[in-house]
Amino acid sequence: MHQPVVTPVSTPIRTTAGSTAVRAEVQGPQLRWLQPVPRHMVHRAAIAEVFLTDAVRTGEHSFLVAAQWPRDHALYSPGSDGTSDPLLFMETIRQALVYLAHAYYEVPLTHRFIGFGSEFEITDPAALRIGGEPVPVVLEARWVWVGNRPPNRYGMRLEVVLTVGGRTCGRGALHVVAVDDKRYAMLRGRGAKPRGVAVTGPAPRPLERVHPAAVGRLRAKDSVLVRERTDGPWQLLVDVEHPIFFDHPSDHVPLMVTLEGFRQLAHLLLHPGDMARGAGHTLLGMESDCLAFGELDAPIDLVVRERAPETGSGRTRVTLDAVQNGTALATCRTLWGTRAADGAAHVDHRVPVSSTA
C-alpha cells in the first residue's frame, strides 16, 4: 500500500477541519505543492491530469488536501472573467476521494469506483481569479462512511470546503461506492468489460458538434452537444478518443463527461445566439444524482426540465436530465450567476445551491 508523502504534524490538532486554527497549523510547512501524487492513486493515466499534490490527516476522519490548478488547461480553460473553471473543483474532489480511499482507508487499488451523487458551489468566484502563478488549492475534507460493507463493498462520502490562499470560496461533496470486480460485473451485467480493455463508442453519425464558443469552450473537440434535427432533443456526444474525458478506458460514460454535457446545455440555453464565450452568466454550482450507468453504444438525450430565475439575486437555476433508451441516467441542478460590469459574478450568499447538506 502506497504511503502518502507528508511531513508529520509537530503540534497536536485540537480543532476540526475547516477552522482557521487548522489552516494556520497545517497548511503552511506541512502541505506540499512540489509534485503531483502518483497518478494511479487518483485513477489517472496522464500525469498532466493529476492536480493533487499532498494530503495530511487532521483528525480520525478529517484531512487537508493540497492541489494545484493550472493557469490554463486544454479542457478546463479559464472563463472570460479570468477565473478558474469551476469543474476543476469537482475533478479535484473526485481525485481527493480516490486518493484518500487508497492511501488512508486501504480500499484496494483494484476496486471499481461508482458515483452516486456529486455537488459543488463556488461561494466567492473572485477568489479563483488567475494570477501570475498556478493556483494553490486546499480542500478541508471530512470523510463519512455510507452503507459501508468491506472488504468487497466500500460506501463513502467526502465533504469538502475549498480555500485558496487561506480564503474560503466554495464547498462540495462526492458520494461513491467502490466494489470488487465480481460485484462490479454483477452491477454492470452485459455492459461490463475487463479492466484496461480498449472501448469503442457508438457508430459514427453525420452530426455536427455545436460551435465550441456557443457552449463556453475553446476547442471544437471539447464541444459535447449534437442534435439530429432542429426540433429534436440535444444529445451528449460520447468521444472515447478524447484524451481527457477518456483519460483511460472505461466501459461506461464517466461522471465528468455527463457533467460537462449538463454544463454546456445550460450555457447554451442561457446564451441564445451569443457567441461571446461566457458572456452574461457564469457557473456557480452543480448538484447531480447518478441513477444508472450510461452505455457507450446508444444515444444519450440531454433534456432541460426547468429554468428558474431567482428574483432579486441575479441567479438562475437550470435543472437537466440525461436519458438513454427511456431510462433516466442522471439529473443535475445547476446554478448560474450574472456577471457584473467588472466581469465578476454576482453572488447572493444567503441562498444555498440546494437543501441537501
Side-chain angles (χ1 to χ4, degrees):
M1 175 63 62
H2 167 80
Q3 295 298 318
V5 179
V6 298
T7 300
V9 179
S10 58
T11 55
I13 302 298
R14 295 181 296 274
T15 53
T16 59
S19 71
T20 302
V22 170
R23 283 197 293 271
E25 278 188 314
V26 180
Q27 182 176 328
Q30 285 76 21
L31 279 178
R32 299 176 178 176
W33 285 265
L34 297 178
Q35 60 187 13
V37 300
R39 56 184 179 164
H40 69 282
M41 295 290 284
V42 295
H43 298 186
R44 275 304 195 182
I47 296 174
E49 299 307 316
V50 179
F51 303 131
L52 258 62
T53 62
D54 200 3
V56 295
R57 195 170 213 150
T58 60
E60 183 180 4
H61 296 298
S62 59
F63 303 85
L64 291 181
V65 181
Q68 187 185 76
W69 290 352
R71 296 171 65 194
D72 200 358
H73 188 270
L75 174 62
Y76 300 121
S77 52
S80 59
D81 59 352
T83 60
S84 295
D85 189 320
L87 280 182
L88 272 175
F89 182 22
M90 192 67 249
E91 171 61 16
T92 303
I93 297 173
R94 186 200 68 79
Q95 291 189 16
L97 181 144
V98 173
Y99 180 79
L100 295 176
H102 294 318
Y104 288 93
Y105 290 105
E106 298 185 345
V107 176
L109 289 168
T110 54
H111 272 37
R112 308 283 191 107
F113 283 64
I114 304 168
F116 275 64
S118 66
E119 61 182 278
F120 73 85
E121 178 185 13
I122 303 298
T123 56
D124 183 3
L128 302 185
R129 191 171 300 278
I130 297 170
E133 297 179 348
V135 181
V137 169
V138 174
L139 302 185
E140 302 174 3
R142 184 171 76 96
W143 185 276
V144 181
W145 291 115
V146 182
N148 192 42
R149 294 192 294 274
N152 301 316
R153 182 189 190 276
Y154 296 83
M156 63 207 82
R157 175 180 168 89
L158 189 68
E159 301 171 350
V160 308
V161 172
L162 171 67
T163 65
V164 175
R167 181 173 171 180
T168 300
C169 53
R171 65 167 190 86
L174 179 61
H175 176 200
V176 165
V177 168
V179 297
D180 59 15
D181 283 343
K182 179 180 179 180
R183 281 160 180 74
Y184 182 79
M186 292 172 59
L187 289 171
R188 290 291 288 122
R190 289 181 297 176
K193 297 289 188 299
R195 187 185 305 274
V197 171
V199 295
T200 58
R205 293 181 293 163
L207 301 177
E208 186 175 352
R209 301 173 190 253
V210 174
H211 192 286
V215 292
R217 301 294 87 199
L218 290 175
R219 307 184 305 175
K221 68 166 61 178
D222 297 333
S223 171
V224 299
L225 294 187
V226 294
R227 206 177 200 178
E228 293 191 26
R229 59 182 191 276
T230 56
D231 61 344
W234 291 102
Q235 295 182 338
L236 180 66
L237 178 64
V238 178
D239 179 6
V240 299
E241 301 298 326
H242 195 286
I244 300 173
F245 287 139
F246 286 84
D247 166 81
H248 55 275
S250 174
D251 62 14
H252 61 275
V253 179
L255 169 65
M256 296 303 294
V257 177
T258 307
L259 291 183
E260 184 63 32
F262 286 140
R263 185 252 289 271
Q264 291 190 18
L265 182 52
H267 182 103
L268 186 67
L269 175 70
L270 294 173
H271 303 85
D274 186 352
M275 300 301 285
R277 183 171 171 268
H281 295 81
T282 184
L283 180 65
L284 295 177
M286 303 180 81
E287 181 184 11
S288 67
D289 298 315
C290 302
L291 309 173
F293 288 100
E295 304 297 344
L296 299 173
D297 57 358
I300 297 176
D301 293 339
L302 299 178
V303 182
V304 178
R305 188 198 306 174
E306 182 183 26
R307 174 180 176 177
E310 292 183 350
T311 304
S313 71
R315 310 198 309 182
T316 300
R317 298 175 186 275
V318 181
T319 302
L320 311 99
D321 296 319
V323 180
Q324 186 175 59
N325 295 328
T327 299
L329 303 181
T331 185
C332 184
R333 295 160 290 280
T334 66
L335 178 66
W336 298 76
T338 54
R339 198 163 287 138
D342 61 358
H346 174 75
V347 180
D348 184 345
H349 296 285
R350 297 170 298 175
V351 186
V353 168
S354 73
S355 60
T356 303

